[in-house]
Amino acid sequence: MGDKMTQETKEAVEKILTDYLERNKHRKTSERFAILNEIYSHNGHFDIEGLYVMMKNKKYRVSRATLYNNIELLLEAGLVIKHQFGKNLAQFEKAYKFKQHDHLICSDCEKVFEFCDPRIMQIQKMAEDMLNFDVFHHSLNFFAKCRILKQNGVCEHKKSVVK
Amino acid sequence: MGDKMTQETKEAVEKILTDYLERNKHRKTSERFAILNEIYSHNGHFDIEGLYVMMKNKKYRVSRATLYNNIELLLEAGLVIKHQFGKNLAQFEKAYKFKQHDHLICSDCEKVFEFCDPRIMQIQKMAEDMLNFDVFHHSLNFFAKCRILKQNGVCEHKKSVVK
DNA sequence: AAATAAAAAATTAACGTTAATTTTCTATTC
DNA sequence: GAATAGAAAATTAACGTTAATTTTTTATTT
């Protein structure tokens, strides 16, 4: 799980956060940079409770409310992305330097798969022009049943992408 | 709000529910048909609390838990669709005979706009074949900023589609 | 450096939803 | 039609998240 990020990434995301905080006249607290670092040294999806446990297991003293508040801030700064995969539990992932992708969720085992398709951008452009909006984020989820499961009665996609 | 549905629609959706209940060996309770009727005599999006209030204002005695449980059942029967527009409050809408559409959400005023694009089906087909799944539902949301608001500082899209 | 005002963190309470438990009702058998 | 077992409805408790309040910290002024 704990995956050390490159020094460049660390500096780049800290710079983005610093700029965002200065631009919006927010304070540069130690908690904010600790949370950012924790998130960026982790791969794949995570939820708030998981992040809380991860940080508790290390030196950090941080409350859940601070995580909820600051993940919102990181969301606005474009440093994390939020997902709602049907369930009533929000999942997050880091956003910096990660190429755009969407998700397909297995309705039997809840595993999440990623895929890319450039046509989503064409749809986005159509919607923007038709409704006169500028899209800053999109979310596309497919909820699906495994074809193998239908045939064999077992749900075993070894090549799960995330979670 | 309260919009009388045609007799044909009423019969059709009741038939779908009856068949679904029989097929899955569930009971045909009065609550289930009351909830279905209430949902189908309403246009646009709604949440559980709103449905609860609507039914309380009429003759019906029904608990919130029953609404939560049965909306899940109607979801499985393909009679309603569930949306999560970023906020932590689920929105629903009837599914029978309503053509496929997706949503764009204004980040300033939370209004929801609908649009259609056939290309989403091509993306779906691609994902299905690549990952070997059969998609039974998708959700595509664009989160966007109003161009007029950016220019004039006011957020007033009169032609809002839903809610 | 001390005093201060404002902002953020922590704590607590509230809300929407889900899960567990109890009560009521359905529908089947006698 | 009465008795019964199982299912669904209602109630209650728990969970994830958001909002409100209190405490702590930041950073600015003196």
Side-chain angles (χ1 to χ4, degrees):
Chain A
M1 291 296 120
D3 180 72
K4 52 214 78 54
M5 65 181 145
T6 67
Q7 190 60 25
E8 296 147 271
T9 301
K10 185 174 155 64
E11 280 167 17
V13 294
E14 282 181 351
K15 175 93 169 54
I16 291 170
L17 179 55
T18 302
D19 289 354
Y20 175 84
L21 293 174
E22 284 174 357
R23 209 164 350 103
N24 295 85
K25 300 204 185 345
H26 290 142
R27 290 177 181 169
K28 289 163 217 150
T29 64
S30 60
E31 285 87 350
R32 286 176 173 163
F33 288 90
I35 293 167
L36 180 69
N37 272 295
E38 196 57 36
I39 289 173
Y40 270 83
S41 57
H42 175 271
N43 282 324
H45 297 156
F46 64 91
D47 57 29
I48 295 290
E49 188 60 23
L51 181 59
Y52 179 74
V53 170
M54 285 199 323
M55 294 189 76
K56 279 283 160 184
N57 287 346
K58 299 187 177 180
K59 45 190 172 293
Y60 307 113
R61 276 171 300 100
V62 69
S63 74
R64 287 184 180 84
T66 300
L67 294 182
Y68 279 108
N69 287 333
N70 281 308
I71 205 101
E72 197 63 31
L73 187 145
L74 293 174
L75 229 44
E76 274 159 35
L79 285 163
V80 301
I81 294 170
K82 179 178 180 175
H83 301 295
Q84 296 258 192
F85 297 135
K87 298 268 156 300
N88 214 47
L89 175 120
Q91 303 263 106
F92 301 88
E93 73 184 305
K94 48 195 173 186
Y96 175 72
K97 258 196 176 176
F98 281 80
K99 68 173 180 308
Q100 184 272 313
H101 63 265
D102 293 292
H103 298 99
L104 181 145
I105 299 104
C106 174
S107 63
D108 295 298
C109 70
E110 309 294 332
K111 281 209 192 79
V112 175
F113 299 80
E114 297 180 352
F115 65 89
C116 296
D117 194 309
R119 281 173 288 194
I120 190 69
M121 283 310 174
Q122 297 163 12
I123 298 178
Q124 178 174 314
K125 183 136 192 8
M126 186 281 303
E128 284 178 316
D129 293 344
M130 191 179 76
L131 297 167
N132 206 29
F133 273 84
D134 290 319
V135 172
F136 59 86
H137 176 61
H138 84 261
S139 129
L140 170 60
N141 293 317
F142 287 124
F143 300 91
K145 293 213 168 291
C146 174
R147 284 175 184 163
I148 309 293
L149 172 65
K150 279 183 184 172
Q151 289 163 13
N152 305 0
V154 276
C155 181
E156 276 288 343
H157 358 265
K158 291 289 185 220
K159 49 295 187 203
S160 148
V161 183
V162 277
K163 229 234 159 171
Chain B
M1 290 296 119
D3 181 74
K4 50 214 79 55
M5 65 181 146
T6 67
Q7 190 62 24
E8 296 148 272
T9 301
K10 184 174 157 66
E11 279 167 18
V13 295
E14 283 182 351
K15 175 93 169 52
I16 292 171
L17 179 55
T18 302
D19 289 354
Y20 175 82
L21 294 174
E22 283 174 357
R23 211 167 344 106
N24 295 85
K25 300 206 186 342
H26 288 143
R27 290 180 180 167
K28 289 164 220 150
T29 64
S30 60
E31 286 87 350
R32 285 175 173 162
F33 288 91
I35 293 167
L36 180 69
N37 272 294
E38 196 57 35
I39 289 173
Y40 269 83
S41 56
H42 174 272
N43 281 327
H45 298 156
F46 64 92
D47 58 29
I48 295 292
E49 188 60 23
L51 181 59
Y52 179 74
V53 171
M54 286 200 322
M55 293 189 77
K56 278 283 162 186
N57 287 346
K58 299 187 179 181
K59 47 191 173 292
Y60 307 111
R61 276 172 300 99
V62 68
S63 72
R64 288 185 180 83
T66 300
L67 294 181
Y68 279 108
N69 287 333
N70 281 310
I71 205 101
E72 195 65 31
L73 187 144
L74 293 175
L75 228 45
E76 274 158 36
L79 286 163
V80 300
I81 293 171
K82 180 179 180 175
H83 301 296
Q84 295 259 193
F85 297 135
K87 298 270 154 300
N88 215 46
L89 176 120
Q91 304 263 104
F92 301 87
E93 73 183 305
K94 48 195 172 185
Y96 175 72
K97 258 198 176 176
F98 282 80
K99 68 171 181 307
Q100 184 271 313
H101 63 266
D102 293 293
H103 298 98
L104 181 145
I105 300 104
C106 174
S107 62
D108 295 298
C109 70
E110 309 294 333
K111 280 209 192 79
V112 175
F113 299 80
E114 297 180 353
F115 65 88
C116 296
D117 195 308
R119 282 172 288 195
I120 190 68
M121 282 311 175
Q122 297 163 13
I123 298 178
Q124 177 174 315
K125 184 135 193 8
M126 185 282 303
E128 284 178 315
D129 293 345
M130 190 178 76
L131 297 167
N132 206 30
F133 273 83
D134 290 318
V135 172
F136 59 86
H137 177 60
H138 84 262
S139 127
L140 169 61
N141 293 318
F142 287 125
F143 300 90
K145 292 211 168 293
C146 174
R147 284 176 184 163
I148 309 292
L149 172 65
K150 280 184 183 171
Q151 288 163 12
N152 305 0
V154 276
C155 182
E156 277 289 343
H157 359 264
K158 292 289 183 219
K159 51 293 188 204
S160 148
V161 183
V162 277
K163 221 203 174 202

